[in-house]
Each structure stands twice: as C-alpha cells, then as structure tokens.
Amino acid sequence: MTARDTVDTLLARCGTTYAAEAGIRLRNTPQPLYQLLVLSDLLSARIRASVAVSAARALFAHGMRSPRRMAAATWQQRVDALGEGGYRRYDERTATQLGEGAQLLLADYGGDLRRLREEADGDLDALRAGLRRTPGIGPAGADIFVREVQAVWPEVAPFVDGKALQGAERLGLPASPAKLVELVEPADGHGVAALAAALVRAALDRHVVDDVSAQA
C-alpha cells in the first residue's frame, strides 16, 4: 500500500471540504467568504465538527448569510439558530461574537473579505493576523479559514495546518506539507483544500483512520 493509495482512499471516503459540507458554494465573492468566516469561528470551538457544521447551516437557513444580515439579527435570533444546530455549549458567547464580528467587518471592509485579501497582499501572516481581529477567530479559526479558502485564493496554497498534519501522522503519511501536496491531484488550492479537510477528519475521528487503513 503506497502513500498515494492511502490518499486516494481517504479522499474517496471524506474528501469534502467543511465549507461544502456546510452548504457553502465557495467563490471569491463577499457572501460565501463571510459564510466561511462564520463556519471557521464555529469549528474552532471545542465542540464536534458535525455540530459546528449543523449550526452554520442553521444560521444560514435563518437568513444570516451576510455580515449585514448577521448584524441585523437580534442576539436571541442568533442564539436560537445556534441552538437549533445543536451548538448549545457556547451559544450565548458565540451569538455575541458573531454580531460583533459582523459589525467589525462592515466597518473595516464594507463586509467584503476580499479587501482583507488585498490588504494582506499575499502575506500569509498578515492575512491570519487580519482574520484574528474578528471576535471569536483565534489562531485555530484563522488556520481553518485559510485551509479552506485556498480553493479560491491560490496565493495562500498550499496550506496544510497543524491539525491536518496530525491526521497525516495517524495515517502514516508524510508530516510535511510539501510531500503531502505531491500525493494529491490536482496539486492546486482545490486539491489541497480537499486533502487537508480529509486529514483533519482523520485527526478527529479514529474510525476514519481505521476505515482508510482497511480499504487502502
């Protein structure tokens, strides 16, 4: 069994990005980029990824798909949507952070994260620092955003974060971003984003590792 066999099996089993799982049609336009920021906030908490995805879907289903709509929603509406998605442990704090983050994004970038991209000008550290100004987005949340957005922002690719590298180690794959990229096709932002998401699932769920090892 080669490393490429393992990667192919992993991608076939769970090569869906978290953005796609949350129903986000990721493009370089303001609304899906904002939705990815919300999802990154939710995923970065100490809560199951499936619950974070469900909560994001609930927020979007209730119309909170843009910073303007998020800011216009009441705190209670945000709490209720998060609760509907099962995100109850952090719902009140997160509802506050989502409202404050939306207002900050509107004030600083007119609600358009592409302006942050332009401001960072290809500097990954500057981009992550800009993301971390958002309430609720720490280092983990910023890495989640970059990991997923590389599918449409090629200048940040290839990006494989620490959690994805943990998954690689569990699967016996190289714990080196450069070597991992050689195992995926296409070796662009889309391919690496899918691989990174799959590796994160392997890091979070031992069953993924066992299933892939049995099939590869």
Side-chain angles (χ1 to χ4, degrees):
M1 179 177 63
T2 67
R4 188 176 291 276
D5 291 334
T6 299
V7 166
D8 289 345
T9 302
L10 175 68
L11 288 172
R13 187 192 188 284
C14 53
T16 302
T17 63
Y18 283 97
E21 188 179 344
I24 301 169
R25 295 183 178 181
L26 192 57
R27 299 185 302 277
N28 186 35
T29 54
Q31 186 163 293
L33 290 173
Y34 173 69
Q35 291 169 8
L36 176 58
L37 185 68
V38 170
L39 177 63
S40 300
D41 181 348
L42 300 177
L43 283 168
S44 65
R46 294 181 181 275
I47 199 163
R48 291 196 312 276
S50 59
V51 173
V53 168
S54 177
R57 281 184 167 274
L59 286 166
F60 304 153
H62 284 279
M64 289 169 258
R65 295 183 291 271
S66 70
R68 199 165 301 280
R69 294 291 296 274
M70 184 69 77
T74 67
W75 178 83
Q76 190 61 54
Q77 286 172 327
R78 293 192 292 269
V79 168
D80 290 346
L82 289 166
E84 183 180 307
Y87 204 91
R88 296 185 179 88
R89 184 176 176 185
Y90 304 104
D91 55 353
E92 295 187 356
R93 184 183 70 183
T94 302
T96 299
Q97 291 173 338
L98 289 172
E100 293 174 347
Q103 292 171 351
L104 180 69
L105 182 57
L106 288 166
D108 288 357
Y109 299 111
D112 189 348
L113 281 164
R114 294 176 301 180
R115 296 185 183 179
L116 172 58
R117 179 190 187 186
E118 293 171 3
E119 184 178 276
D121 194 25
D123 184 329
L124 183 57
D125 288 339
L127 175 61
R128 286 191 284 188
L131 291 167
R132 290 198 301 269
R133 293 181 56 228
T134 306
I137 298 290
D143 282 354
I144 292 167
F145 182 91
V146 175
R147 189 179 73 216
E148 296 267 326
V149 86
Q150 67 182 316
V152 294
W153 288 1
E155 71 274 13
V156 302
F159 182 81
V160 183
D161 64 345
K163 183 62 70 175
L165 291 176
Q166 288 178 23
E169 290 180 357
R170 282 192 169 193
L171 289 161
L173 293 170
S176 159
K179 290 182 178 179
L180 286 170
V181 170
E182 294 175 357
L183 300 173
V184 66
E185 293 182 4
D188 58 9
H190 290 278
V192 179
L195 175 60
L199 290 171
V200 168
R201 291 185 174 91
L204 296 174
D205 188 348
R206 185 72 208 184
H207 292 100
V208 171
V209 177
D210 293 342
D211 289 351
V212 170
S213 299
Q215 294 177 39

